[in-house]
């Protein structure tokens, strides 16, 4: 009798343990399911936020339709020029080829889209590439983008430095004829920093990995000399 009672008690204990295990398993899977739902919701939320963030920018006056650069000239051949204001080779490019590009614009042979990217922030302690590019947007708003660009390259700071301060950028803008108060407020407010991010992101998506990069009607120009650029424009115009 006692043996049967013992077996019965043992069976009850086992059933109780199994019931507890089932409850524990349900609790665990319910918790896992909740976590998965939260993770999915978070990913969806981040995706929406990132998408909205990447689209929230205001392009300065003079920008192209996609807001990826500032346009000069209205010729039949398009030159896309990607430069970073901290890039020493970009400064050399401007010194060697700037006059040629200006002449092609004056002769109505080209439409130049200047893309002031911010690839080199890591070589500045103050994100100078972004600040300078955003300031060029302010200059475009004031109708002096090209003049400001030329002056920035003439005053280019060394890589690894803090770069030019906002006050120095404002002084340069005033020096090329921009209204100091309007331009200064635009620079200090970082009005075109979101635009700079857009320009840089779109350049990367277009396969641009370094500066300077020059394309004529979408094709990379390997010979980045005055003769090479002129020849590429002539060939594209045929």
């Amino acid at each position: 009798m006692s043996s049967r009672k013992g077996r019965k008690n043992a069976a009850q204990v086992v059933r109780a343990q199994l019931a507890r295990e089932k409850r524990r398993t349900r609790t665990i899977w319910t918790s896992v399911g909740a976590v998965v739902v939260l993770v999915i919701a978070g990913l969806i939320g981040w995706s929406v936020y990132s998408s909205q963030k990447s689209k929230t920018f205001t392009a300065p006056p003079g920008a192209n339709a996609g807001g990826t650069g500032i346009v000069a000239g209205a010729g039949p051949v398009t030159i896309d020029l990607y430069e970073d204001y901290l890039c020493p080779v970009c400064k050399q490019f401007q010194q060697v080829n700037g006059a040629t590009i200006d002449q092609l614009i004056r002769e109505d042979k080209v439409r130049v889209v200047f893309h002031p990217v911010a690839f080199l922030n890591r070589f500045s302690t103050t994100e100078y590439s972004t600040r300078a590019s955003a300031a060029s947007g302010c200059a475009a708003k004031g109708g002096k983008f090209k003049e400001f660009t030329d002056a920035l390259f003439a005053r280019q700071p060394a890589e690894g430095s803090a770069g030019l301060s906002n006050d120095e950028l404002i002084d340069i803008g005033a020096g090329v004829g921009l209204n100091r108060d309007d331009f200064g407020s635009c620079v200090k407010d970082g009005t075109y920093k979101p635009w700079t991010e857009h320009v840089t992101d779109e350049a990367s998506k277009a396969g641009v990995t370094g500066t300077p990069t020059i394309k004529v009607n979408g094709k990379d120009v390997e010979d980045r000399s005055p003769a090479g650029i002129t020849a590429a424009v002539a060939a594209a115009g045929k």
Side-chain angles (χ1 to χ4, degrees), residues 112-128:
V112 181
V113 184
F114 295 91
H115 306 268
V117 298
F119 284 167
L120 301 180
N121 275 329
R122 65 188 183 280
F123 294 114
S124 164
T125 59
T126 64
E127 294 192 337
Y128 175 73

Side-chain angles (χ1 to χ4, degrees), residues 110-197:
V110 297
R111 169 182 175 269
V112 181
V113 184
F114 295 91
H115 306 268
V117 298
F119 284 167
L120 301 180
N121 275 329
R122 65 188 183 280
F123 294 114
S124 164
T125 59
T126 64
E127 294 192 337
Y128 175 73
S129 292
T130 289
R131 292 191 298 106
S133 174
S136 77
C138 297
K141 181 181 179 182
K144 296 286 186 180
F145 173 83
K146 189 63 171 61
E147 294 87 345
F148 184 69
T149 287
D150 292 343
L152 275 191
F153 279 122
R155 290 275 305 276
Q156 186 182 72
E159 287 185 325
S161 69
L164 301 176
S165 67
N166 284 346
D167 287 339
E168 289 173 313
L169 292 174
I170 293 166
D171 286 342
I172 291 172
V176 300
L178 289 162
N179 179 279
R180 179 179 288 275
D181 291 336
D182 293 343
F183 179 69
S185 295
C186 184
V187 170
K188 290 180 178 179
D189 291 344
T191 301
Y192 290 110
K193 283 186 176 181
W195 171 69
T196 291
E197 182 179 350

Side-chain angles (χ1 to χ4, degrees), residues 1-234:
M1 184 73 173
S2 61
S3 176
R4 285 199 302 271
K5 186 177 181 181
R7 287 197 297 271
K8 184 178 178 181
N9 290 338
Q12 288 175 339
V13 170
V14 170
R15 285 196 296 271
Q17 288 177 336
L18 289 173
R20 285 196 296 271
E21 289 298 326
K22 286 181 180 179
R23 288 195 297 272
R24 186 181 302 123
T25 300
R26 283 198 299 270
T27 300
I28 290 172
W29 281 111
T30 299
S31 299
V32 169
V35 170
V36 169
V37 169
L38 289 173
V39 169
I40 292 173
L43 290 173
I44 292 173
W46 174 252
S47 176
V48 171
Y49 169 76
S50 297
S51 175
Q52 291 175 341
K53 181 183 177 186
S54 65
K55 294 178 182 178
T56 305
F57 72 94
T58 299
N64 60 357
T68 63
I70 304 299
V71 178
V77 175
T78 297
I79 292 178
D80 285 286
L81 181 56
Y82 298 84
E83 295 181 303
D84 189 307
Y85 289 116
L86 191 58
C87 163
V89 182
C90 296
K91 177 179 180 178
Q92 295 170 7
F93 178 90
Q94 286 291 344
Q95 291 172 334
V96 173
N97 298 297
T100 297
I101 292 174
D102 288 345
Q103 182 177 349
L104 291 169
I105 292 173
R106 287 194 302 270
E107 293 174 351
D108 293 324
K109 292 182 178 180
V110 297
R111 169 182 175 269
V112 181
V113 184
F114 295 91
H115 306 268
V117 298
F119 284 167
L120 301 180
N121 275 329
R122 65 188 183 280
F123 294 114
S124 164
T125 59
T126 64
E127 294 192 337
Y128 175 73
S129 292
T130 289
R131 292 191 298 106
S133 174
S136 77
C138 297
K141 181 181 179 182
K144 296 286 186 180
F145 173 83
K146 189 63 171 61
E147 294 87 345
F148 184 69
T149 287
D150 292 343
L152 275 191
F153 279 122
R155 290 275 305 276
Q156 186 182 72
E159 287 185 325
S161 69
L164 301 176
S165 67
N166 284 346
D167 287 339
E168 289 173 313
L169 292 174
I170 293 166
D171 286 342
I172 291 172
V176 300
L178 289 162
N179 179 279
R180 179 179 288 275
D181 291 336
D182 293 343
F183 179 69
S185 295
C186 184
V187 170
K188 290 180 178 179
D189 291 344
T191 301
Y192 290 110
K193 283 186 176 181
W195 171 69
T196 291
E197 182 179 350
H198 173 72
V199 172
T200 305
D201 288 346
E202 290 301 310
S204 296
K205 291 178 184 177
V208 177
T209 58
T211 55
T213 290
I214 182 170
K215 297 176 182 283
V216 171
N217 279 1
K219 296 182 179 180
D220 288 324
V221 177
E222 300 299 332
D223 182 357
R224 297 184 304 196
S225 67
I229 294 170
T230 302
V233 169

